[in-house]
Amino acid sequence: MKRFLLIAACSLFAAGMQAQTTETKNWETKLTGVASHDNLYKNAPTAVDNAGNTYMTGQFDQAIAIGDAFLEPVANSAYLAKYDANGKSLWAVSLAGAATISCITTDDKNNVYIAGTLADKVIVGSTDGQNKDINGKEGEVNKVTSFIAAYNAEGVLQTVKTIYAETPASIMESGLYFPDAGYPYFRIQHIEVDGGKLYASAIHTGDVALGDSKWGGAYLNVFDFMYQDIPCAGIISMNATGLNGETSVAHVGAVDQISNEQMGYESLNFTVDNGTVYLCFVGNGNIKSEVAGQSETFSFSYDGSTSSIEHGYVLTSVKNGTEVNTKVLHATPHTNLSSFDIIGGMKVEGGVLYIAGTFQQQLVFDPSKTATDACDLYATALNKETMDVIWTSVSGVGEGEGDSMHFYEVFNAMEVNNGEVFLYGYAEEGAGHKLTQTLNFTCSNGQMTKGSDLFVTGAAINGTTKAVLSANLENAETSLATYKVVASGIQSTTALGAHRVGNTFYFAEPNDIAVYNMQGCMVKRADNATSISIDDLNRGVYILSNGKDKMKALKANF
C-alpha cells in the first residue's frame, strides 16, 4: 500500500547530519622518561586494541618504572607499555639502544606491532625475558635502519625484523657519489594490520631488498659533477605472523634512476579497509608509480628555470590485490620551494575515506581554500568508491603572523569517530624546530573547531575508547589519557521540501541530491534529479540533502 507523506509536515525529521561527540575522561597516567624535552619524540604514537587496552610509547634516557617493570636505558632508548581499560599497568618492555618507535598498530587478536628506526645494537625486550638483539646497518651511527616487532597480548616478543637500504654498485663505483651522513636510509612511517597481513609504508633512498621484490633508488645528476639521492616511497605487505613473505604493494619514485632534475615523490600515506588498500601520494615533475604490478607514469608541471612546480596528488585504491582505481588531482604551480604538501593520515569509516595533513598555496581537494602563511593543516572527506570530495576543512591559522619563510604547521595525528575528524598538530619555528603553538581541531562536515591546548603526539580510537598521548615541553613529562567517546545527537537545520511515495522522494524542481547515513557517510547520489529512492538501502535513518536544506527520513518496508 502506497503512503503519501508531505515531508514539510514531518518537522520532527528536519535535521542535519552533523553528529557531535561527547568525551568523558576515563583515566590518565604520567611518566617522565627523559631529562630534557629535547629528547622527547614529538610524534610518539599510541594505540587502542579491541579489548579497550591502551598502549603508550616514548623515549627514555633515565631509569623508569612502569607498573612492575623497571626499565634502564642505553643511550636514548624507546619503551612500549600496555594499560588495561581501567588504567592499570599490565606490562612494559624496552628497546634498549638508539631506537625510536614511530608507529604502532594492533590486530583482531590484540597482538601489538611496533615499527621505527634504530642504529647500532638494540636489545628488544620481552616480558618472558627472551630478549633479542638487533643491529642497524653496519658502520652507520645514524638511524637509517627500520625495524618491525610483533608482540602477543601478554607482551611476549613473537618476532622482529630489520630492513635497510644499500647504494647500488654502479653508483658507488661512479666516482660521483658522496653521500651525506645518514644516507642511504629506509624509514617506516605507518603500519596497519588487515586480513592477516601487516602493511607498512616507508620512505627510502638507495636500493631496498624486500623478499622477492626490490625497490630501486633514484639519483640527481648535478652537472655531471656528483650524484645526490632522490627520496622514493612505497608500501609493502607481509604475513603478520612471522613478519615474512614481503611483497611490494606500491612504489613511487622518479621515472629514471639518474635524472638531471630533482623531480619525483614528496609524500605518501595509506590505509587498509577489508582488504582494499587506499593510498595517496604527492609528487612533482615526472613520477613513476608501480601499484599491484601495474606501472603508470604521471606528469606534473615542472619548470626548473623558474622553479615553478606543480605539486600534484594521486589517489589510488587496490581491491583484491589487482583491481586498481586511480584519480589524479592537478594543482596550480607555484615557486615556493618548500614541500608542505603532506599526507599525514588516512582512515576509512563507512563509505567515506578521510585524509588529513598539511598543504601550501591552494588545497588540491578544494582550490577555493588557500593556506595562511606557509601552510595549513587540513582534513577532507571523500566518497571511498568514486573519490569525490564530500567536504574539506582547513585550519586558517597564521602561524607566522605573515612570515611564511620561518614558521609552519606540522601534522601529528588524525582519528575519526562517527564522521567527526580529530586533528592534532602544532606550529613551529624552522630554526631549531621550536614549538610556537599547539593546533588541535575537531572537523565535521567542513566545519573546523579549535580544541584544547595540549601538545598531542599521538591519538587512537577503537570503539568508544579514545587514547590521547601528549607531552609537556616544560618538564619533559608524557601523559596518556583515555576517554569514552559517544555520538550525542544531530544538529537542527532547515527541512528539505519533498513529496514521499513509499521510499521514493519527489521534488518540485531538479536538485543535486545526496543521501547520507547517520555517520555522515554518503551512500547515494543523484544529480539534477526530480526524485530519489532509498528503497535499495538497508533499513534505517538517512539524511537527504541538496547542499542547502536537509531532511531526515526513515527507510521503511511498506
Side-chain angles (χ1 to χ4, degrees):
M1 175 181 175
K2 294 182 178 180
R3 294 184 183 180
F4 293 85
L5 300 175
L6 282 175
I7 301 306
C10 302
S11 58
L12 291 176
F13 284 162
M17 60 183 178
Q18 184 174 341
Q20 293 179 305
T21 298
T22 59
E23 298 183 0
T24 305
K25 181 181 284 189
N26 295 324
W27 55 267
E28 183 175 14
T29 186
K30 297 182 178 181
L31 172 69
T32 302
V34 293
S36 167
H37 67 79
D38 292 333
N39 287 334
L40 283 169
Y41 181 45
K42 291 182 179 179
N43 307 105
T46 184
V48 181
D49 66 23
N50 290 339
N53 303 303
T54 305
Y55 298 85
M56 185 180 192
T57 69
Q59 302 296 122
F60 71 109
D61 57 15
Q62 56 192 9
I64 54 175
I66 303 176
D68 295 332
F70 182 76
L71 308 180
E72 293 187 279
V74 176
N76 191 9
S77 302
Y79 65 85
L80 168 67
K82 180 178 181 178
Y83 297 84
D84 71 12
N86 297 312
K88 178 184 177 182
S89 172
L90 297 178
W91 53 261
V93 295
S94 66
L95 281 71
T100 298
I101 299 171
S102 58
C103 41
I104 183 172
T105 193
T106 61
D107 64 16
D108 55 3
K109 296 180 181 178
N110 299 328
N111 299 309
V112 59
Y113 306 81
I114 55 174
T117 54
L118 77 148
D120 298 323
K121 176 183 174 181
V122 171
I123 304 170
V124 183
S126 179
T127 56
D128 64 355
Q130 299 299 307
N131 304 336
K132 185 172 182 178
D133 295 351
I134 57 175
N135 294 280
K137 187 178 180 181
E138 186 176 356
E140 179 59 71
V141 298
N142 295 283
K143 294 179 182 178
V144 301
T145 301
S146 276
F147 69 86
I148 306 174
Y151 288 87
N152 69 11
E154 287 71 44
V156 176
L157 180 64
Q158 302 299 291
T159 187
V160 60
K161 75 178 303 163
T162 58
I163 306 174
Y164 57 86
E166 295 277 14
T167 302
S170 61
I171 298 297
M172 289 293 295
E173 296 169 0
S174 68
L176 300 176
Y177 184 62
F178 311 99
D180 294 330
Y183 285 77
Y185 59 78
F186 182 88
R187 297 175 185 154
I188 293 177
Q189 298 182 304
H190 180 65
I191 58 174
E192 293 187 20
V193 174
D194 183 272
K197 295 286 187 180
L198 182 140
Y199 296 82
S201 62
I203 178 175
H204 74 96
T205 57
D207 291 357
V208 183
L210 301 165
D212 295 332
S213 304
K214 186 184 85 169
W215 287 352
Y219 302 88
L220 173 67
N221 182 352
V222 184
F223 306 116
D224 294 326
F225 172 73
M226 64 183 297
Y227 290 154
Q228 289 184 344
D229 287 279
I230 298 177
C232 304
I235 303 167
I236 58 175
S237 71
M238 63 189 74
N239 298 319
T241 302
L243 301 181
N244 55 9
E246 305 100 310
T247 186
S248 176
V249 177
H251 187 251
V252 177
V255 173
D256 301 312
Q257 182 192 39
I258 300 175
S259 172
N260 294 322
E261 298 280 3
Q262 192 169 0
M263 56 179 66
Y265 149 88
E266 293 182 43
S267 177
L268 178 146
N269 216 318
F270 79 99
T271 190
V272 189
D273 180 55
N274 293 320
T276 298
V277 179
Y278 298 88
L279 67 105
C280 182
F281 69 84
V282 184
N284 61 77
N286 298 322
I287 311 166
K288 182 171 68 174
S289 169
E290 296 177 331
V291 179
Q294 302 178 32
S295 181
E296 189 171 1
T297 299
F298 303 94
S299 294
F300 298 109
S301 175
Y302 188 102
D303 188 339
S305 62
T306 63
S307 298
S308 178
I309 298 172
E310 176 188 6
H311 304 267
Y313 287 55
V314 178
L315 290 158
T316 300
S317 65
V318 185
K319 295 182 180 180
N320 304 317
T322 58
E323 300 174 32
V324 179
N325 178 37
T326 297
K327 184 172 185 176
V328 179
L329 299 176
H330 284 277
T332 302
H334 58 79
T335 57
N336 186 348
L337 296 181
S338 299
S339 180
F340 293 121
D341 287 283
I342 304 298
I343 310 299
M346 299 176 65
K347 299 282 183 182
V348 170
E349 185 183 70
V352 178
L353 170 64
Y354 297 90
I355 303 176
T358 60
F359 77 101
Q360 57 190 339
Q361 303 296 320
Q362 293 176 305
L363 179 63
V364 72
F365 300 104
D366 182 357
S368 69
K369 292 182 169 65
T370 304
T372 304
D373 291 347
C375 62
D376 273 2
L377 288 165
Y378 75 88
T380 185
L382 312 175
N383 180 303
K384 74 174 186 179
E385 299 298 334
T386 64
M387 300 183 190
D388 291 335
V389 175
I390 300 172
W391 58 257
T392 60
S393 292
V394 301
S395 65
V397 174
E399 66 277 0
E401 297 181 353
D403 183 349
S404 61
M405 298 297 293
H406 303 96
F407 298 85
Y408 49 88
E409 297 178 29
V410 180
F411 171 93
N412 250 5
M414 180 263 284
E415 278 298 332
V416 180
N417 181 64
N418 288 315
E420 283 191 312
V421 176
F422 301 95
L423 182 59
Y424 303 97
Y426 59 96
E428 70 176 16
E429 184 177 4
H433 298 284
K434 180 183 177 182
L435 185 144
T436 58
Q437 62 178 307
T438 59
L439 300 172
N440 303 322
F441 300 94
T442 300
C443 315
S444 183
N445 294 330
Q447 301 298 315
M448 186 174 283
T449 305
K450 186 75 165 63
S452 72
D453 292 328
L454 281 176
F455 174 45
V456 176
T457 68
I461 294 177
N462 193 337
T464 60
T465 301
K466 175 182 178 182
V468 175
L469 188 60
S470 61
N472 186 323
L473 297 186
E474 293 184 1
N475 59 15
E477 185 179 65
T478 297
S479 174
L480 175 65
T482 70
Y483 302 81
K484 182 178 181 180
V485 290
V486 179
S488 63
I490 306 297
Q491 295 180 348
S492 296
T493 186
T494 307
L496 172 66
H499 185 208
R500 178 171 182 168
V501 180
N503 285 317
T504 301
F505 300 84
Y506 295 88
F507 311 101
E509 297 179 353
N511 278 274
D512 293 339
I513 298 294
V515 181
Y516 299 84
N517 62 23
M518 296 306 289
Q519 285 72 50
C521 304
M522 185 167 65
V523 294
K524 192 170 185 176
R525 182 180 178 89
D527 293 333
N528 198 33
T530 56
S531 67
I532 192 168
S533 174
I534 61 172
D535 204 47
D536 55 337
L537 301 179
N538 294 329
R539 182 180 175 86
V541 179
Y542 295 91
I543 300 295
L544 278 66
S545 173
N546 64 358
K548 296 180 181 179
D549 302 324
K550 301 178 178 70
M551 55 160 289
K552 182 161 52 172
L554 173 68
K555 157 65 188 301
N557 295 323
F558 290 93

